[in-house]
Every structure is written in structure tokens, then in C-alpha cells.
Amino acid sequence: MLPTDFVIVGAGLAGISLGVRLSEDPRITVTVLEAGGASFHDVNIDTPAFFLNNLGNTTKDWSFLSTSQSNLGGRSISLPRGKSIGGSSLINFMEAIRAPSKEYDAFESLGSNGWTWDNLLPFFKKAETLIYEEEQAEEDDMKFTPEFQGTMGPVERTIPRFLDVVAMPFLKTSQLVLGIKANTDPSYYEPHMSRPNLNVITGAQATKIVTSRKDSDVIASGVQYMKNGQVKTINATREVILSAGSYQSPQLLELSGIGDPAVLENFGIPVVVDLPGVGNNLRGYITQTLEHVSASYTAKLIPGLDAWENMSDPIFAQKQEEIYKETGGGMLSGIASSAFAFLTFKDFDTDGIIASLVQKAPGLDSKTHLLQKGWVNDTNVPFLELSGFDRFLPGATGVPEPQTNYASASIILLHPFSRGSVHLNSSNPLVQPNIDINLLDSEIDMNIIVKGYKLIRRIFQTAPLKDIINGEVSPGADVQSDEDLAAYARKTAGVTFHPIATSSMLPREDGGVVDANFKVYGTENLRVVDASIIPISISAHLQATIYAIAEKAACAIQKEINE
């Protein structure tokens, strides 16, 4: 195969966006390797309400599993990751949320110059076009500040076209109870897929980065990959860029001899770059997998409401399909949740007990832990996300009753103190990595989840939401004490599919894997551009941030090309 200037591993949100931007320069050739296929114009992807239909579908989802979790009774946790052009945008819940500015500013305070909210805002805007009808925004009490919104980007962002029967009662009740205010895919690639200098090879799973040594640095000269059972190699004349995601980017680094020597030696892999931060905890410095912790609550709705379970009625479902085809609205245009409450520590820890526990807890002396400890007293940094929606949550105990509608809520810990890791499970690149998310290892995390359950109960038991509720399903009336709620969380808790920090952008001495320009330490032309570089958890669903990261990377690389 002819060489190419840039080889990008992974055609997910970051990889395909970066490939499209780099190929805007006709002098540059870009090849993107994607292990999955192409899933354009698939009804289960294009229809927002079908967001659960793609989970577990092996043509679209890698369907990773965590290791057995000691704090969850030995359960392994499902860890979906997108497997096709567009990556996890194929299986996500279509919730584009940015974190508060202070959390992005933390990237720079941790050692990466040029990574602040002000620096990232132009790239958030470059990726998107905000589209909405003013009448609908006014009706839903939504306000937008134009200086923060994109108007020319490839990703169209809008307000929900459909609000389920739970959304507004949930928001209004949350305001009463908590005293708070409401607040990739074909869009990048498809219009440009015919560019002669942009080549996407599907069904191509990267197995190793080909490297050589130049003085003290390592040169990435290409990528080995497997397609149709054959091992092939593509050469890169400029750079190799990993955009394989938070589980597979560190796996590919380790397969290529870049990582902790102790890990590599276990699998007989020669050390190319001694970089212990890859997927690892290092002397209290954090280069690890972080995940938002998720717990669930479910209740029955009163009869007579038009809610999701009515879709089991063929006549009702057909009517909704017609509405969606004709107007783009109706129930099938609804996303997982349109109602969110983001709570700072003081919003839920009103007596200060958990905050005191944080300050006294041993072992929280890494730079990222210290930042989190400071955020406990910050009224601009959310720690807990509550969201409400109308359907039986699959994570709930029990099974849904026929001809019954349900309301559910997610309780999401946004800044967990627990830390996990990702490492090789085998020298065979086709074997999934060993993913230990180490969920609820911290007593602090469990205390916050228990507090979240209590808040959700208060919300569901307060009007106006109470007026449409017909009894709690899970955790259930017999689960009341803190100990019982904690035990229930261990049986049912999971994650929100937002893994980060396995190739952290930190100083090398702090366990970093990449520098502020995305380059892997010890290499001359190997970069990582995906969620794995995010060094600390952020209180946002990741899609918008990943687009901004890809745009920033494209800008940095284009600048180097033109210098």
C-alpha cells in the first residue's frame, strides 16, 4: 500500500473529525483505520428515541466488560464503545453538554499550557451550529448567549423537539426541592467522503504501531493492522495519531512497547518507551480510567399518560412513526433525557458531613485529587447530576409490568474519587484489554450516591412530579437506611459510558502520557487525540468536548505543517 502523510487509528468522534479537518489541505493525505464498518442512514441510529437499540449490537458496539468489581459484589460492568465510522456517537444518548469553565481551566493548572476555557471555546464553536426555534425555546424557558454558540460548524445542535411527560414536572420539582435554576458521525465525514486525499479503511483493526529510533526519540513510521484475517502495514510519512478511545488507545500503546515496563514484560513485549503513566496509577499521580458512576431509580406513572411504554401498542407506535416522518417531531424524536439538574456539593451535602469526610480521607494527595477536594467548596462545579425521563430503566431491579408506564431517574456522580486502570490482558491485539474501573472503591463516592438516592426520592414525592407518580419500583419501599441504599447501589450501579484519562495530558513526571500538543512523551511524531487525554473528570457528557479536542488538534497540526 502506498504511504500516506497521516495515519489515524479510529474513525470515532475524534478520529474522523480530525481526518476531515486535516484533509482540507489538498497537499496532505490522510488514512483512517476503522475496525468497524459504516452505519450511515440506519434507522436505529438516525432515530433519537432508539438510542438503546444499538447497545450490545456487535456491528456497532465493542461491548467491553470490566473486570470483576470487588465493591459491586463481583459483578462485571457493561462498557459500550462505538464500533463504526462515528464511534460512540452511534450509541450515545445525544446529550451535548459542556462543563463549567473552571473544569477546563484545570487542564492548564495541571500543567498543559494553552488548555483553558477561553482557549477551547473557539473550537467548541467551530464544531457546531446551534439551530432552534425561538418560540419553542421561550416555551421551554431556554435562553442562549450567542457569543458562546457556534453558527458554522458541521454538527447541528438543537433543543429537544419532544419533551416526555416526566421532563417538565421533574425540572419544576427539582427547582422546588433543591432551590436551583433549570438550566460524529456523518455530519463531519459524509459531505467529504469523496475527497481523494482522505481514505477510510473499514474492517481494519490496528494491532501495533511500527516504530524506529532516532537518537533519544522514537519515530512512528506506520501502523500494522488486521483486515480479512491478514496482517497489513500502512506507512506514515508524517505522523501516526491514535484516536482509538480510552480503552484501546492505551492498549495499542502497550502492544507497541510504550508503557510501564512491568506491564510490558508480563507479556514479553520489548520496551520501546518507558512510560508508566499509560493506563496506570503511578505513585499517587493519576493516569487512570475515570468514569462517571451511575445509579438508577424507577417509579410507576399514573394510568392514562402518553409515555414510552405506549410504543408497545402497534396503533400508537404507527402514529408516532408517521409524526416523526412528517415533522421530525413526536415521541421518536425524544432523547434519553431532556431534564437535568446539576448539583454542587453544597446543594446536596447541606450538613457538610461528606465534605468533612473528603478533607479527612487519606490518600487523596495526587494533583487531580487535590483539585477535586478544592471543588468541594466551589459553588460553580457540579458533583452530582440528576436526570428524569419516561421509561423503565434497564438497570432497575425487576421487570416492567405489561400496559404500565414508568418514570426513571439517573443519579450520576460526576467527580468520583475512586480510580481505575486499563492494561493489556494478552499480547494478542484482538483480545479486549483488562479494564478495572474500580467502581465505588471510595467511601466518599458511596456517600454521594446514597445522598443522591435520598434527593431523588424527595423529588419524586413532591408535587408537581408527585402528581403523576403511582408508587416507587426501585430501590423499593423496603430499602430505606443508608446501609440498605448502599447495598442496593452495589447490586445495581454502573457507569455512564464516559471513560477518560488513560493517556492523560499531564507533565511526564506527574504520570502524563501526552504533552499539551497531544504528542506521546519519548516520541517525535506519535499523538493521541481522543477522550483518553482528558486528565480529570468533567461534569459533562463528553461528545461536545471530544469534538473541541479534535478541532484543537487539527489546528495545532495544521500550524506545524505551515511553519
Side-chain angles (χ1 to χ4, degrees):
M1 179 178 289
L2 292 174
T4 184
D5 291 316
F6 292 88
V7 176
I8 300 174
V9 178
L13 274 76
I16 199 64
S17 307
L18 178 59
V20 168
R21 286 302 190 194
L22 293 179
S23 66
E24 289 177 343
D25 184 342
R27 302 170 299 169
I28 298 300
T29 55
V30 180
T31 298
V32 184
L33 302 178
E34 169 54 46
S39 300
F40 300 131
H41 310 300
D42 181 319
V43 66
N44 286 316
I45 294 171
D46 294 345
T47 308
F50 292 164
F51 59 91
L52 291 178
N53 293 2
N54 301 306
L55 299 182
N57 182 328
T58 55
T59 65
K60 304 170 186 172
D61 181 2
W62 284 96
S63 300
F64 290 120
L65 285 174
S66 75
T67 59
S68 174
Q69 296 294 292
S70 59
N71 302 301
L72 303 181
R75 289 189 297 124
S76 292
I77 303 301
S78 175
L79 304 170
R81 291 287 88 197
K83 185 182 182 183
S84 190
I85 296 174
S88 292
S89 68
L90 307 181
I91 62 174
N92 71 10
F93 296 173
M94 300 182 69
E95 295 159 355
I97 301 170
R98 302 174 190 167
S101 60
K102 179 165 290 190
E103 297 182 31
Y104 295 113
D105 291 344
F107 296 6
E108 184 169 81
S109 68
L110 287 168
S112 296
N113 289 334
W115 283 83
T116 64
W117 164 257
D118 288 338
N119 295 131
L120 276 172
L121 180 59
F123 300 112
F124 277 114
K125 294 170 68 174
K126 187 176 182 179
E128 70 174 33
T129 296
L130 178 64
I131 299 173
Y132 66 95
E133 295 179 6
E134 292 190 10
E135 183 179 340
Q136 184 187 354
E138 186 175 340
E139 181 180 330
D140 295 336
D141 195 25
M142 296 182 181
K143 297 179 176 63
F144 300 96
T145 305
E147 65 187 276
F148 298 123
Q149 315 304 330
T151 59
M152 299 289 287
V155 179
E156 292 187 358
R157 189 164 63 92
T158 187
I159 59 181
R161 295 175 178 171
F162 174 82
L163 296 179
D164 64 46
V165 295
V166 174
M168 293 312 294
F170 180 88
L171 285 175
K172 291 177 181 178
T173 308
S174 297
Q175 293 170 22
L176 290 171
V177 171
L178 302 168
I180 60 175
K181 294 183 179 180
N183 208 343
T184 306
D185 57 272
S187 54
Y188 264 92
Y189 174 58
E190 195 170 11
H192 309 291
M193 59 194 303
S194 61
R195 280 181 185 165
N197 62 335
L198 175 60
N199 182 27
V200 178
I201 304 175
T202 57
Q205 182 164 351
T207 58
K208 184 181 180 181
I209 305 160
V210 180
T211 59
S212 60
R213 187 166 288 280
K214 177 184 177 183
D215 299 327
S216 60
D217 274 344
V218 167
I219 306 296
S221 59
V223 176
Q224 284 185 358
Y225 65 96
M226 184 170 288
K227 183 175 174 68
N228 297 328
Q230 294 184 326
V231 176
K232 302 183 178 185
T233 301
I234 182 169
N235 296 321
T237 59
R238 285 182 179 268
E239 295 188 8
V240 172
I241 302 170
L242 303 188
S243 297
S246 293
Y247 299 144
Q248 288 167 296
S249 283
Q251 179 189 23
L252 192 54
L253 287 171
E254 290 185 339
L255 286 167
S256 307
I258 301 171
D260 187 339
V263 173
L264 304 180
E265 289 166 6
N266 284 338
F267 298 97
I269 298 173
V271 177
V272 174
V273 178
D274 183 341
L275 198 57
V278 175
N280 199 28
N281 286 336
L282 174 64
R283 298 190 302 277
Y285 296 119
I286 304 303
T287 35
Q288 73 300 309
T289 177
L290 277 175
E291 255 284 14
H292 294 159
V293 184
S294 177
S296 60
Y297 176 96
T298 299
K300 292 181 181 179
L301 288 170
I302 60 174
L305 299 176
D306 282 344
W308 178 254
E309 277 75 15
N310 288 359
M311 289 293 291
S312 61
D313 178 349
I315 296 175
F316 184 88
Q318 182 179 355
K319 181 180 178 181
Q320 291 299 320
E321 289 173 8
E322 291 171 355
I323 293 171
Y324 185 64
K325 288 178 182 177
E326 292 173 6
T327 69
M331 193 171 285
L332 292 182
S333 69
I335 61 174
S337 178
S338 303
F340 300 90
F342 287 87
L343 314 183
T344 68
F345 227 85
K346 291 183 178 180
D347 289 327
F348 60 83
D349 185 40
T350 53
D351 54 13
I353 291 177
I354 305 178
S356 177
L357 184 65
V358 170
Q359 302 309 321
K360 296 176 182 177
L364 303 183
D365 53 0
S366 73
K367 289 185 176 180
T368 55
H369 274 135
L370 292 173
L371 267 176
Q372 286 179 241
K373 289 172 73 172
W375 287 347
V376 165
N377 297 314
D378 195 312
T379 56
N380 293 312
V381 177
F383 265 77
L384 195 63
E385 173 190 329
L386 307 178
S387 63
F389 43 93
D390 75 328
R391 65 179 70 196
F392 188 93
L393 200 64
T397 53
V399 295
E401 299 176 10
Q403 298 181 332
T404 303
N405 284 317
Y406 293 88
S408 293
S410 291
I411 303 158
I412 299 173
L413 172 56
L414 299 168
H415 295 292
F417 286 87
S418 303
R419 299 291 193 261
S421 62
V422 176
H423 287 300
L424 290 180
N425 203 19
S426 169
S427 59
N428 181 348
L430 303 184
V431 175
Q432 82 158 56
N434 188 296
I435 306 168
D436 183 5
I437 53 177
N438 201 25
L439 214 64
L440 293 177
D441 182 60
S442 166
E443 181 186 1
I444 299 166
D445 293 353
M446 180 61 83
N447 274 271
I448 295 173
I449 290 295
V450 167
K451 187 73 77 167
Y453 269 123
K454 292 179 176 180
L455 279 175
I456 279 292
R457 274 187 166 151
R458 283 180 58 199
I459 291 169
F460 271 67
Q461 293 168 4
T462 302
L465 183 57
K466 176 185 177 182
D467 298 338
I468 62 171
I469 299 300
N470 196 28
E472 180 177 314
V473 174
S474 61
D478 57 336
V479 180
Q480 293 295 329
S481 68
D482 287 5
E483 293 75 17
D484 289 343
L485 288 168
Y488 180 79
R490 291 189 185 94
K491 292 178 182 177
T492 60
V495 295
T496 57
F497 321 140
H498 300 153
I500 63 165
T502 53
S503 307
S504 283
M505 182 178 59
L506 290 168
R508 189 170 186 174
E509 62 270 21
D510 291 343
V513 175
V514 302
D515 64 19
N517 284 317
F518 308 91
K519 286 190 177 178
V520 175
Y521 291 113
T523 74
E524 186 174 290
N525 64 334
L526 175 62
R527 302 190 204 236
V528 180
V529 180
D530 58 28
S532 72
I533 72 166
I534 299 174
I536 189 169
S537 59
I538 58 176
S539 57
H541 301 220
L542 296 180
Q543 183 169 355
T545 300
I546 295 172
Y547 282 134
I549 286 172
E551 292 284 7
K552 184 174 173 65
C555 182
I557 295 169
Q558 288 164 341
K559 182 179 179 181
E560 290 184 15
I561 291 172
N562 293 322
E563 284 179 346

